[in-house]
Amino acid sequence: IEIQREFFNSNATKSFDFRISQLKKFKTLLKENEEAIHSAIYKDFKRSSTENYTAEIGLIYHEINNCCKNLKKWGKRQKVKTNLLNMPAKSYIIPEPLGVTLIIGAWNYPYILLFGPMIAAISAGNTAVLKPSELSLNTSSIIAKIINENFEPRFLKVIEGGIAETTELLNQKFDKIFFTGSPAVGKVILKAAAEHLCPVTLELGGKSPTFILKSTKLKIAAKRIVWAKFLNGGQTCVAPDYLLVENSIKSQFIEMLKNEIKRIHSPEPIKSEALARIINARHFERLIKLIDQKKVIYGGDYNLQDLYIAPTIIDNVSFEDNVMQEEIFGPLLPIIEFEDLNWAIKQVKENPKPLALYIFGNNRKQINQIQEEISFGGGAINDAIMHFTNTNLPFG
Ligand code: NAD
């Protein structure tokens, strides 16, 4: 951290040429290591290389290109109007790097959650210390290898480890912390940062409700929900967490969901190449406890040895059920039916603010009502997760 601060203070990271050359160097390294990157995540939780490319690596390339193209524009000082009292002076906003940054990532999208903020940090002229999650050991190790063997530690450095190492890092003074992970650890980060008055970005989790209105095209809705829910084995922060389905179309919609699961993951999902496994036994046990077998209408089977849980639909769920008390973060899809939209909106609002919210429907009035009455991070109408890929939209 000291040598990074010294390097930052030397102004070496600030020129646009330096920033762009480092981004280009990183892009080349990514290309050279693609095979190893895919194989590490397969070893960690059997995510396929196709899914890995679409959900992470492709987006990282896009992020690098986008930053190389725009960073000069973003970094330019911007002239603003001057008030009468200061005339004839001129007024500017001058963007500046923050200094030494700390980026702490979660395991579920281990590459983009570290490299995304790292690309932003480089683009803005900072140095960075990166801390991958210890739960995905193989990806953590390839990330460390790519960065530590190719960049000077005074500019970029990966520190591997778990709670002890992160706690030690948090005792140090940084100029910015970017954290992705659970709300519980988010609190630990914010408390530690407060000691140094260090600015923090927290990318946390939560339950993301998904409305299915009777006005939607049911088949398309089923297709998009099954893809989004079971992507990465359901371990996606912005996955549809549970469905709120209008009662008049519920049974028809459930049949479509089942057909779609069979189509994407085959009638025997344990053999599906497209279904990632649960990250570890602790999370596996946690998820199993959330399955109320009496209410399971599809799936429900699991295998501890393989850390496999089948894509599972749970019907007749109420907001009091166990599965509704925490972010699911696994391949379980609870269905809550409603007749009165006002009731459904009220229930969502009585729970913590959703990270994402999805509405499947074609009734403009109802869509607007949901959007206007519920506050949420990001979302989509008649789609799920895809808003995340649009870099013109803010994320988080
Ligand atoms: P986590 O909070 O357990 O761990 C995240 C990071 O914090 C890891 O690097 C870990 O080593 C570190 N950590 C864990 N305990 C710590 C402690 N006591 N002190 C200091 N550091 C500690 O989260 P996870 O299980 O890796 O990821 C799952 C969570 O992340 C879910 O809630 C998910 O929704 C969320 N998430 C959010 C986004 C987003 O962009 N909003 C993206 C992915 C995941």
Side-chain angles (χ1 to χ4, degrees):
I1 293 158
E2 271 168 26
I3 62 166
Q4 285 210 355
R5 184 150 285 118
E6 220 172 273
F7 189 54
F8 178 75
N9 285 337
S10 77
N11 299 319
T13 60
K14 292 184 185 170
S15 81
F16 290 141
D17 285 347
F18 176 83
R19 305 182 200 184
I20 292 171
S21 68
Q22 298 307 307
L23 290 174
K24 287 189 172 158
K25 175 177 168 181
F26 175 60
K27 188 175 168 183
T28 309
L29 286 165
L30 212 56
K31 277 229 147 63
E32 286 169 4
N33 285 282
E34 251 187 43
E35 274 302 311
I37 284 173
H38 290 319
S39 115
I41 204 150
Y42 190 81
K43 281 188 206 144
D44 277 335
F45 53 103
K46 288 200 180 164
R47 184 204 279 162
S48 72
S49 53
T50 322
E51 195 166 298
N52 195 35
Y53 192 89
T54 11
E56 298 208 63
I57 310 306
L59 297 174
I60 297 174
Y61 285 128
H62 176 72
E63 197 79 40
I64 298 173
N65 295 342
N66 189 32
C67 286
C68 283
K69 194 169 138 210
N70 291 304
L71 70 83
K72 283 188 186 164
K73 188 173 75 196
W74 297 331
K76 230 171 51 190
R77 69 179 186 171
Q78 186 196 336
K79 202 170 164 202
V80 295
K81 278 189 191 156
T82 297
N83 61 333
L84 204 57
L85 215 55
N86 279 307
M87 290 288 186
K90 294 189 177 76
S91 310
Y92 300 96
I93 296 168
I94 307 176
E96 56 168 20
L98 293 158
V100 182
T101 65
L102 171 63
I103 302 164
I104 303 172
W107 62 267
N108 61 330
Y109 288 90
Y111 299 121
I112 198 157
L113 297 180
L114 275 189
F115 290 148
M118 181 192 84
I119 292 163
I122 298 174
S123 302
N126 302 289
T127 70
V129 174
L130 311 165
K131 215 296 290 173
S133 168
E134 73 283 17
L135 299 193
S136 47
L137 271 182
N138 293 290
T139 48
S140 169
S141 141
I142 186 74
I143 288 168
K145 188 167 178 291
I146 294 172
I147 300 298
N148 292 349
E149 288 182 5
N150 296 289
F151 291 93
E152 293 183 54
R154 62 183 183 165
F155 176 47
L156 299 176
K157 173 80 183 172
V158 175
I159 308 280
E160 290 187 90
I163 297 181
E165 291 77 6
T166 319
T167 306
E168 193 49 47
L169 281 170
L170 290 171
N171 286 334
Q172 313 302 316
K173 178 175 167 27
F174 285 92
D175 302 302
K176 167 88 190 184
I177 300 175
F178 191 111
F179 169 79
T180 306
S182 59
V185 181
K187 290 181 192 172
V188 175
I189 307 291
L190 206 49
K191 273 187 196 151
E195 279 303 310
H196 302 285
L197 291 178
C198 172
V200 177
T201 297
L202 298 176
E203 280 290 352
L204 308 179
K207 288 181 97 62
S208 300
T210 300
F211 284 85
I212 312 292
L213 306 175
K214 65 173 183 247
S215 55
T216 195
K217 292 189 172 125
L218 290 180
K219 210 164 166 192
I220 297 179
K223 192 170 165 178
R224 294 183 181 166
I225 285 165
V226 167
W227 172 77
K229 176 70 196 188
F230 302 111
L231 175 77
N232 209 30
Q235 302 161 119
T236 302
C237 57
V238 287
D241 186 275
Y242 62 95
L243 305 185
L244 282 155
V245 185
E246 270 198 273
N247 55 3
S248 58
I249 47 141
K250 193 182 82 169
S251 24
Q252 192 189 354
F253 188 60
I254 285 174
E255 285 316 303
M256 290 179 185
L257 288 173
K258 289 180 185 170
N259 289 339
E260 204 44 42
I261 295 176
K262 282 182 212 149
R263 195 182 68 81
I264 300 191
H265 298 291
S266 88
E268 284 182 280
I270 195 158
K271 294 183 183 155
S272 166
E273 270 301 301
L275 190 71
R277 297 305 191 247
I278 307 305
I279 184 68
N280 60 22
R282 181 170 62 85
H283 279 286
F284 179 90
E285 299 292 351
R286 177 185 65 79
L287 285 162
I288 295 308
K289 286 198 192 116
L290 298 182
I291 305 177
D292 180 348
Q293 289 291 354
K294 294 190 297 297
K295 296 189 175 181
V296 169
I297 51 163
Y298 192 82
D301 48 315
Y302 46 83
N303 176 334
L304 173 61
Q305 217 151 32
D306 194 22
L307 294 176
Y308 162 82
I309 299 181
T312 297
I313 305 177
I314 310 172
D315 194 13
N316 294 322
V317 172
S318 79
F319 278 92
E320 284 70 46
D321 286 12
N322 277 346
V323 76
M324 292 303 294
Q325 306 313 313
E326 58 183 83
E327 177 186 10
I328 297 173
F329 219 58
L332 316 178
L333 183 59
I335 294 182
I336 298 179
E337 65 173 69
F338 71 90
E339 191 173 353
D340 174 8
L341 184 60
N342 292 319
W343 174 86
I345 292 175
K346 186 165 173 278
Q347 302 306 309
V348 172
K349 285 170 78 170
E350 280 174 3
N351 283 288
K353 178 165 160 171
L355 182 61
L357 182 129
Y358 306 111
I359 308 165
F360 287 80
N362 286 300
N363 178 328
R364 227 333 117 186
K365 198 165 155 255
Q366 288 188 320
I367 293 171
N368 287 347
Q369 186 192 351
I370 298 168
Q371 272 183 323
E372 281 160 20
E373 292 191 17
I374 301 175
S375 170
F376 54 95
I381 299 164
N382 290 316
D383 214 336
I385 295 188
M386 292 306 292
H387 63 294
F388 164 70
T389 62
N390 181 354
T391 43
N392 298 312
L393 291 172
F395 181 71

